[in-house]
Amino acid sequence: MGAALHQLMTLLGYDKYGVVGTDLGWIVGHFMAAQEPDNVIGYFSDFWLIQPNATDLERRAQNQTTEEETLYIDSIQDFITNHSNHLELHSQVPLAIGQVFSDTPVGFAGWVWHLVHWFNDGYEYTIDTLITNTLLLWIPGTFGNIRAYRELIPVRISHYVNHMLPAP
């Protein structure tokens, strides 16, 4: 995906460009930044997840974490618990869920609405924004979007974490 996006930017005449990625775009953006360092001049993501390790969780259980650490650990644990369900669904049965999503834009809008409201920290999206976001994903076809989860999860993530990220 990153190579295709780089090729698109080149065809559009951009030798230098910035990348923004979230969700699976987090992975694609990191690959692009690593594989095209002469072209990617900056990378932004709001999706950097650093999971607490066993020591962090033990300190949290014993009330030895700071307020900020507690908030972070609790929010990450909540994210992992509540977000991984759709990640598993998308990566294990993308055709089945893609067919369901493709049946009606109204049904797919319900899925988008649920995700947006779960992630939004209280921000109120307008109905026009929700409809626009839904149609931007639905019109090209939902299966291709969801198929990316199966292609990138979990092999690519483990490869990325083990081979491309700098050591902590």
Side-chain angles (χ1 to χ4, degrees), residues 11-100:
L11 288 171
L12 292 172
Y14 295 100
D15 294 328
K16 305 276 186 197
Y17 53 87
V19 176
V20 176
T22 191
D23 205 68
L24 286 184
W26 177 80
I27 300 165
V28 175
H30 278 284
F31 273 107
M32 290 179 75
Q35 294 173 346
E36 303 297 338
D38 295 334
N39 303 95
V40 175
I41 59 172
Y43 172 63
F44 171 81
S45 179
D46 63 352
F47 203 74
W48 191 266
L49 299 177
I50 300 173
Q51 294 187 28
N53 61 29
T55 303
D56 297 327
L57 295 174
E58 183 178 327
R59 288 179 52 243
R60 170 68 180 103
Q62 296 173 0
N63 292 321
Q64 296 175 351
T65 52
T66 67
E67 181 180 350
E68 291 83 9
E69 290 173 319
T70 299
L71 288 170
Y72 185 80
I73 291 169
D74 291 351
S75 67
I76 288 294
Q77 294 300 93
D78 181 61
F79 179 83
I80 292 166
T81 300
N82 294 305
H83 181 70
S84 63
N85 57 0
H86 89 270
L87 175 66
E88 292 297 322
L89 180 67
H90 288 184
S91 63
Q92 292 179 9
V93 288
L95 179 58
I97 196 69
Q99 289 169 330
V100 170

Side-chain angles (χ1 to χ4, degrees), residues 87-121:
L87 175 66
E88 292 297 322
L89 180 67
H90 288 184
S91 63
Q92 292 179 9
V93 288
L95 179 58
I97 196 69
Q99 289 169 330
V100 170
F101 287 162
S102 297
D103 185 53
T104 169
V106 175
F108 184 60
W111 180 260
V112 171
W113 180 88
H114 168 76
L115 290 177
V116 165
H117 281 76
W118 190 78
F119 286 110
N120 73 3
D121 283 336

